[in-house]
Amino acid sequence: MDARSRYDAVVVGAGHNGLVAAAYLAGAGRSVLVLERLERVGGAAVSRQVFPGVDVRLSAYSYLVSLLPDRIVADLDLEITLADRAVASYTAVPGGPGLLVERDEGPATEASFRALTGSDAEFAGWRRFYGRVAALAEDLAPTLTEPLLSPGALAGRLRDPGLWHDLRERPLADVVADELASDVVRGVSLTDGLIGTFADVHDPGSAAGRCLLYHVVGNGTGRWRVPVGGMGAVSGAMAAAARAAGAELLTRATVTRLDPRRDGVTVHWTDDDGAEHAADAAHVVCGAAPAVVDRLLGRPPADGTEGAQLKVNMVLARLPRLRSGVDPAVAFAGTFHVDESAAQLDAAYAQAAAGRLPDVIPFEVYCHSLSDPSVLGPAERAAGHQTLTLFGLHTPAALFRADPVGTRREAVRRVVDQLDAHLAEPLLDCLARDADGEPCLQAASPLDVEASLAMPGGHIFHGDLAWPVAGTVEEEGTWGVATDHPRVVAASSGGTVRGGAVSGLGGYAAARHLLERC
């Protein structure tokens, strides 16, 4: 075992939160060591060439950015570019033109609502609901980079505390139905409460309301933007900031044990050759999932953490034509909803909760390369290749455990068939081929995510999201990162009060906690 070194902070995990924490701490003059199990940094926020011989950088896991505060980007001088999408969403409807929602809603959006519902009432309800959502986002977003407020104190800063109350206390399905009558339109709204979350939208106080809140609050606008260069450009900029500030980043370093003491923590890890190493730290910042941290501390993890998403990455030789006649460059530029009406979401949840792969899997698709062609190599761009990312809902990890490969294969077959129902040509005919002649389609179930990223149950948030407020009187005024050990602080999405998605908020809060106390 090596002679021990001592650091002000050792960061476990070089995902985006760990990198943000390291950059802030090192920038404040602290000595920082970051230990990452994988051969690369970035965690779920990475880009890579997935298919041999195809020069396309896909955002392998997370793929859009909304919650990353401008404050963190400015504080760390992150060199990242986020591109807006001209289209917010397009919803395919059998036998009809579908529902188009522009990013900045205009006459085309209004006409699309009218064509779908036969009146102007639904678009008016949509605008009322999202007007309230916009006000909530504007008021709530600044608090995410402040110490935790009590629920009452936060409500006092909101122009519309009623919506905050309703999201926390009422079923999300009822909140949406207050303004929206169309089954299709309600489904478009409800999906924001279900991305990465297995929840019943009819259950009051369920995880769905929390999930929707995080999907609409980012930077006060809720806009989901495309990371130019792929998601790896975001984590790459964070890693560069950490290194520039003086942090040491060590990959292929698997942390095996944490031994906390009153005056510090000993961190044990092994390298690729199995050699054992250790370092002493005044504090440990845990960017790994809470269940992983429990194991490192020698205690049993909490049960029940499960992801619920099917992720399919594709490279296409061309975008498929749609039966509706809508330009695919418009339909796929935003979020393309398939079989995500309110009724279809309910049916899929009921089947999955009963232990069955849904007959109809709700999912959505989008094309990164339409907004950011830089992810395509020169030859692929010249040939007209495009990327396609599919994200399926209500496919929890438990459904895959008995037959991981067979169930994943069947899930992919179902979503491809469902998408084909809206296409004028088969999706498989449009896929590019790799160097081995295989179609460029890669699927990952929650179990695959678990195996790759050590996210228990493949949960992309490391666990259910929390309301972004203090849960107890003792938590008020804190940063929501404390653990049972004063020398160990959380930084992960599921370990912190305000973690979730690629936001850096967990790492930011962990750094602020330590810098204010040490």
Side-chain angles (χ1 to χ4, degrees):
M1 183 176 290
D2 294 356
R4 291 177 180 168
S5 302
R6 179 158 181 95
Y7 294 86
D8 293 319
V10 170
V11 178
V12 178
H16 72 279
N17 278 313
L19 295 171
V20 166
Y24 272 103
L25 292 170
R30 306 298 199 268
S31 58
V32 180
L33 172 66
V34 182
L35 299 173
E36 171 54 49
R37 175 180 63 94
L38 300 175
E39 72 282 357
R40 46 158 175 76
V41 301
V46 294
S47 304
R48 65 170 185 251
Q49 183 176 327
V50 173
F51 305 106
V54 180
D55 185 10
V56 175
R57 299 188 308 280
L58 292 171
S59 296
Y61 300 103
S62 55
Y63 49 95
L64 292 171
V65 176
S66 176
L67 280 164
L68 177 62
D70 291 341
R71 175 173 183 171
I72 293 178
V73 175
D75 284 352
L76 301 182
D77 195 23
L78 299 180
E79 295 186 5
I80 62 174
T81 302
L82 302 175
D84 274 320
R85 303 180 295 171
V87 174
S89 69
Y90 173 79
T91 302
V93 177
L99 177 66
L100 174 69
V101 181
E102 302 158 289
R103 173 54 62 196
D104 297 314
E105 297 162 6
T109 301
E110 184 175 9
S112 188
F113 271 84
R114 188 181 303 116
L116 176 71
T117 65
S119 78
D120 293 326
E122 194 73 359
F123 184 54
W126 174 275
R127 299 193 71 175
R128 283 193 302 271
F129 179 67
Y130 281 101
R132 297 181 69 193
V133 166
L136 178 62
E138 289 174 6
D139 295 342
L140 181 57
T143 73
L144 299 181
T145 53
E146 300 172 0
L148 288 170
L149 298 169
S150 69
L154 177 59
R157 291 177 56 167
L158 303 177
R159 286 168 286 172
D160 186 357
L163 181 57
W164 164 250
H165 171 273
D166 286 351
L167 290 174
R168 297 184 72 213
E169 304 294 338
R170 297 178 59 205
L172 180 60
D174 291 353
V175 177
V176 169
D178 284 346
E179 296 289 0
L180 303 175
S182 164
D183 184 44
V184 170
V185 178
R186 281 188 282 123
V188 173
S189 292
L190 291 172
T191 56
D192 277 340
L194 297 172
I195 296 296
T197 299
F198 186 53
D200 183 357
V201 295
H202 298 279
D203 179 16
S206 79
R210 281 170 273 161
C211 186
L212 181 134
L213 185 70
Y214 280 85
H215 276 88
V216 300
V217 74
N219 275 311
T221 67
R223 289 196 171 191
W224 288 86
R225 294 180 290 175
V226 176
V228 174
M231 192 60 76
V234 176
S235 57
M238 293 171 174
R243 289 191 179 100
E248 300 176 43
L249 274 59
L250 185 61
T251 58
R252 302 181 185 272
T254 301
V255 178
T256 56
R257 191 171 82 250
L258 300 176
D259 291 331
R261 308 180 307 278
R262 183 184 60 81
D263 62 343
V265 184
T266 301
V267 182
H268 301 265
W269 76 92
T270 59
D271 60 25
D272 261 4
D273 296 324
E276 297 181 345
H277 306 266
D280 285 331
H283 292 89
V284 165
V285 176
C286 291
V292 174
V293 178
D294 285 338
R295 177 175 55 78
L296 296 177
L297 290 169
R299 59 193 185 196
D303 295 328
T305 300
E306 281 205 337
Q309 72 289 324
L310 174 73
K311 177 81 184 295
V312 183
N313 292 315
M314 293 170 271
V315 176
L316 278 66
R318 65 182 184 281
L319 289 176
R321 293 174 288 109
L322 298 175
R323 294 188 181 186
S324 66
V326 173
D327 183 352
V330 172
F332 288 108
T335 300
F336 185 111
H337 296 279
V338 177
D339 295 328
E340 288 189 325
S341 72
Q344 288 168 319
L345 292 172
D346 287 347
Y349 176 82
Q351 290 181 326
R356 292 175 49 196
L357 188 68
D359 295 330
V360 176
I361 299 174
F363 67 88
E364 46 204 53
V365 185
Y366 104 104
C367 177
H368 182 116
S369 52
L370 283 172
S371 299
D372 171 29
S374 74
V375 298
L376 304 172
E380 286 75 10
R381 192 184 309 187
H385 282 33
Q386 300 288 355
T387 65
L388 215 58
T389 295
L390 184 152
F391 200 91
L393 307 183
H394 290 335
T395 52
L399 302 183
F400 295 86
R401 294 195 187 280
D403 182 9
V405 175
T407 305
R408 182 182 61 209
R409 184 184 301 117
E410 175 59 20
V412 171
R413 186 195 67 78
R414 293 185 190 186
V415 296
V416 169
D417 285 350
Q418 290 170 231
L419 184 54
D420 277 350
H422 300 283
L423 303 181
E425 54 186 327
L427 175 67
L428 296 182
D429 287 354
C430 299
L431 291 174
R433 299 278 170 164
D434 67 16
D436 300 319
E438 296 297 320
C440 293
L441 183 150
Q442 176 214 49
S445 75
L447 298 187
D448 297 314
V449 173
E450 179 180 53
S452 297
L453 300 176
M455 290 180 171
H459 201 305
I460 61 174
F461 302 139
H462 293 181
D464 285 343
L465 297 167
W467 295 110
V469 290
T472 64
V473 172
E474 293 74 21
E475 206 170 43
E476 292 175 22
T478 75
W479 289 98
V481 298
T483 72
D484 294 341
H485 298 277
R487 295 284 176 170
V488 178
V489 299
S492 70
S493 291
T496 58
V497 173
R498 293 176 293 203
V502 179
S503 67
L505 287 169
Y508 171 85
R512 290 294 300 269
H513 170 90
L514 292 181
L515 293 174
E516 290 179 5
R517 286 161 175 74
C518 308

